[in-house]
Amino acid sequence: MPAIFSRPFRSHGVKASYADFILSILRANPSLRDTKSYLASFGHHQPERTKPSDLLDISTILPPTGQQEKESPKLTTEPLKTSPVISSILNPIYRRTALVKLQGPFTDKQLDSIARGMVFLEKLGLVSVMVIEHDKLARGDEGERATIIEETMRVVSVLEAHGAKARPVLGTVVRLGPMPRDREDPAAHDVPPPEAHVFPTDLVPIRSSLRAGEIPVLPPFALDSFCRSVRIDANDVIAALPPDPHADYSEDINLVPLRLMIINREGGVPSYARSGYPHLLINLSSEYDFIRDTFEPSWLKERPSALSNLRLARTCLSYMPPASSAIMVSHRSSSSLIANLITNKPAVSSSLPHALLQGNRKLAPETPTLIRRGQSIQVVRSLAHVNRAKLTHLLETSFGRTLDVAPFYERLEKYLDFVIVAGDYVGAAIVTNEPGPDQCSPPISYLDKFAVLPSHQGDGTVDFLWVALHDETYGLGHPFSVNPNGGKEGKGEGRDLVWRSRADNKVNRWYFDRSSGHMRMGSWVLFWCDAEKRLKQEESQRADSGLSYVESWEAGRLEQWADVVTTIPSAWK
């Protein structure tokens, strides 16, 4: 990722911690897909007018071949080397913008850590538009305005002390009240419109600051109907910034926000499934109402702004590009912002087995919560309610093969248990009830297909889909399986989930992490996930002795599964 190190810190008087910076990148451990996605957004972009073919055609200055050999025997056809300066002009780092809510007040040490993270992000191509909040300053306090401005200038000073350029934008940028067009028909929006708005001319100071390479820092001020500058909630200021239909582009910076970052003292949104520890990943399209309704009143003491920040994320992401995400993070975890920028993933995958999540050292009260617009999730139990054309397109596009349509759907007519559909068939998990090896054996819960469109592999859909699959099969019976996906909502007994994958499938590494075990069968690998409720009951009965290597109820099941799975016909032509 050479673009990352192409610019030094601006302040020569600051001993910038390159070691911390590099370690933060390495800890992110980005996959090849993560790296490609990052470079697509922040990598080198070559302006159209400077295509190499338009700059210089060597054939126009070299003599004919024969004459070249006589007159210039030492001339070679090696590519011309371009100076680093010219390369940086022809291939600029394409910068994106982030909206940042700085929910203080913070101590000098805390603010120092946050500022360092902001400077690191800028080096990676993400320029912040920061809005200050002061939770401990009540509305209407004496000296309120002076205190807010002083806090704004303090943030600017700390950023500059770390080598960044920062500009305080003390004039009012936003106006109170919804946008005039939103007042006329508020019901036309799936998400309530912001309580403040901006006009294109209001954004001139922010655009000017960004183009000058400066981080704009805004106090939470707005113009009321009498053109007075008043303090409002920082959430209203931030929510008013994304919906800018006149947002323009320059050659090296995209002014449409790509990230929303909420940096506070609380951390992420607490989850009922993690005993109040934060959610790892939130799918707003299917989980927002459920999270709000199951929020424990006792959590308000430690995380009083969790729901209001979640509402802010929902508002902003409804206007931001589909690939955008929001992160709620404690000042203690500011380095995780780098990992989030590069991978656009949570600190730990939410689709990992709960036993691994519960013992993971990365999970703490201040673990960040990643929030995405996400996809709706629905569980369909009848093939009559499945859109076969869309499902076929999904499977063929995802696997890159041609489906043998007639026999595939004939098989599903006999054995289908359910289909989990993400969004408008951007992803699906098909589970069947396969007959056991004999009449006395219970049916086998078999994952027939798990598919996500390539365009959605990396936007959280895979994890959202697998979590729903967990809730409907091997996770049933646990309180953390009570999710609003239209399925059983945690009621019932969990069942072992079995599936097979070709031995050379690149996805197997992902399956290894999520399965209870696997067994090689020639050119295939058999995977399974044990019913979690049964495992927990078995462990509790044995107290400290733990489970043996092979329990009595496990004896022979692998052979039975293998016998059944190997007879399932291929779905492809």
Side-chain angles (χ1 to χ4, degrees):
M1 222 179 289
I4 293 175
F5 308 102
S6 61
R7 289 183 296 169
F9 284 100
R10 295 187 178 94
S11 174
H12 295 288
V14 177
K15 294 182 178 179
S17 179
Y18 273 98
D20 289 346
F21 180 47
I22 295 170
L23 284 173
S24 297
I25 296 171
L26 294 177
R27 290 191 193 105
N29 192 25
S31 65
L32 180 60
R33 179 181 290 121
D34 297 333
T35 305
K36 288 181 177 179
S37 178
Y38 167 81
L39 291 176
S41 297
F42 299 93
H44 286 206
H45 286 242
Q46 190 164 320
E48 289 294 324
R49 67 173 189 279
T50 57
K51 289 181 180 178
S53 58
D54 297 336
L55 295 176
L56 184 63
D57 184 356
I58 297 180
S59 65
T60 62
I61 60 173
L62 292 180
T65 305
Q67 186 178 355
Q68 173 187 339
E69 291 175 354
K70 294 179 181 179
E71 298 180 4
S72 306
K74 296 182 180 180
L75 185 63
T76 66
T77 58
E78 292 181 2
L80 296 177
K81 294 183 179 180
T82 309
S83 73
V85 175
I86 295 177
S87 293
S88 66
I89 295 174
L90 299 182
N91 300 291
I93 295 175
Y94 194 60
R95 294 178 293 161
R96 306 298 295 265
T97 53
L99 298 175
V100 179
K101 176 187 176 183
L102 201 58
Q103 188 175 330
F106 297 104
T107 65
D108 291 342
K109 185 177 180 180
Q110 292 167 350
L111 193 56
D112 186 78
S113 173
I114 294 169
R116 188 184 303 114
M118 294 295 101
V119 173
F120 286 171
L121 289 176
E122 186 190 16
K123 284 189 65 62
L124 288 168
L126 192 72
V127 185
S128 302
V129 178
M130 303 180 70
V131 180
I132 305 301
E133 183 62 283
H134 196 304
D135 281 347
K136 294 185 178 180
L137 185 63
R139 199 73 55 84
D141 277 4
E142 184 178 354
E144 171 187 30
R145 187 175 186 85
T147 302
I148 291 292
I149 292 177
E150 181 181 351
E151 189 68 12
T152 302
M153 298 305 298
R154 177 169 167 254
V155 172
V156 170
S157 297
V158 176
L159 287 169
E160 291 181 336
H162 280 276
K165 289 183 179 179
R167 180 192 298 186
V169 182
L170 301 179
T172 50
V173 173
V174 305
R175 304 163 187 261
L176 277 179
M179 185 71 77
R181 65 172 180 271
D182 293 332
R183 294 194 200 106
E184 298 172 3
D185 188 13
H189 302 272
D190 294 332
V191 177
E195 291 298 324
H197 66 280
V198 295
F199 292 121
T201 53
D202 299 329
L203 296 172
V204 169
I206 294 179
R207 289 178 179 150
S208 172
S209 177
L210 292 173
R211 288 204 177 96
E214 301 168 335
I215 298 175
V217 184
L218 288 67
F221 296 152
L223 285 178
D224 65 10
S225 56
F226 297 100
C227 294
R228 296 174 300 191
S229 178
V230 298
R231 180 191 174 194
I232 64 172
D233 194 299
N235 285 10
D236 293 329
V237 176
I238 293 175
L241 296 177
D244 177 18
H246 300 279
D248 56 357
Y249 302 81
S250 68
E251 293 177 356
D252 63 348
I253 187 168
N254 186 330
L255 301 181
V256 177
L258 185 67
R259 293 283 196 277
L260 169 66
M261 298 178 177
I262 301 169
I263 305 175
N264 56 28
R265 300 183 303 276
E266 306 171 13
V269 182
S271 167
Y272 67 94
R274 308 191 200 290
S275 302
Y277 273 32
H279 282 271
L280 296 170
L281 178 64
I282 291 177
N283 179 355
L284 287 174
S285 295
S286 65
E287 299 178 44
Y288 176 80
D289 291 337
F290 184 73
I291 291 173
R292 183 191 58 194
D293 296 342
T294 57
F295 194 89
E296 293 285 345
S298 59
W299 295 338
L300 290 173
K301 182 178 179 181
E302 296 294 329
R303 304 174 191 270
S305 64
L307 289 181
S308 62
N309 283 332
L310 182 63
R311 187 164 56 248
L312 170 65
R314 181 181 181 227
T315 300
C316 291
L317 291 177
S318 69
Y319 292 105
M320 291 163 70
S324 303
S325 65
I327 185 170
M328 290 174 56
V329 59
S330 162
H331 62 84
R332 303 180 191 89
S333 306
S334 58
S335 61
S336 63
L337 294 174
I338 291 178
N340 168 253
L341 175 63
I342 297 174
T343 66
N344 208 6
K345 294 178 180 178
V348 183
S349 173
S350 59
S351 61
L352 286 171
H354 280 267
L356 291 180
L357 292 177
Q358 291 169 356
N360 197 301
R361 289 183 297 175
K362 290 185 178 180
L363 297 184
E366 63 270 10
T367 299
T369 295
L370 183 67
I371 307 169
R372 307 203 68 143
R373 189 188 306 177
Q375 305 286 340
S376 62
I377 301 292
Q378 59 175 324
V379 179
V380 181
R381 299 198 174 274
S382 170
L383 197 59
H385 298 146
V386 172
N387 188 317
R388 298 192 184 191
K390 291 183 177 181
L391 181 59
T392 300
H393 171 75
L394 165 64
L395 296 177
E396 292 185 340
T397 305
S398 177
F399 286 90
R401 305 180 68 178
T402 302
L403 191 69
D404 199 359
V405 176
F408 174 73
Y409 285 107
E410 286 175 6
R411 215 183 82 79
L412 291 188
E413 290 279 6
K414 292 182 180 179
Y415 303 122
L416 180 68
D417 188 359
F418 60 84
V419 180
I420 303 175
V421 179
D424 189 17
Y425 288 83
V426 303
I430 303 174
V431 176
T432 57
N433 283 322
E434 300 296 330
D438 55 64
Q439 294 182 348
C440 298
S441 301
I444 297 171
S445 190
Y446 176 69
L447 177 59
D448 190 281
K449 291 290 180 291
F450 186 85
V452 175
L453 288 177
S455 59
H456 287 268
Q457 293 175 6
D459 67 358
T461 301
V462 173
D463 279 334
F464 297 143
L465 193 59
W466 192 271
V467 169
L469 175 65
H470 161 275
D471 294 349
E472 293 302 305
T473 54
Y474 64 98
L476 269 179
H478 274 309
F480 45 69
S481 295
V482 186
N483 287 310
N485 54 29
K488 295 182 178 179
E489 298 184 351
K491 300 174 184 176
E493 293 295 323
R495 299 173 58 191
D496 298 332
L497 180 68
V498 181
W499 71 98
R500 69 181 182 184
S501 176
R502 292 196 176 274
D504 59 354
N505 190 342
K506 296 179 181 179
V507 182
N508 286 347
R509 181 180 175 184
W510 196 84
Y511 286 152
F512 289 144
D513 291 338
R514 282 150 187 80
S515 63
S516 301
H518 69 278
M519 180 179 71
R520 295 193 178 275
M521 305 183 304
S523 60
W524 294 93
V525 180
L526 174 72
F527 292 94
W528 71 90
C529 287
D530 291 313
E532 292 180 333
K533 183 178 179 180
R534 184 184 65 237
L535 281 183
K536 196 168 186 66
Q537 290 173 340
E538 293 286 343
E539 289 174 349
S540 64
Q541 291 173 3
R542 285 160 177 74
D544 296 332
S545 62
L547 295 175
S548 63
Y549 187 73
V550 178
E551 293 293 320
S552 58
W553 48 267
E554 294 181 285
R557 66 173 186 165
L558 294 184
E559 291 80 1
Q560 294 177 359
W561 289 344
D563 289 343
V564 172
V565 166
T566 52
T567 62
I568 296 175
S570 171
W572 312 107
K573 287 185 178 179

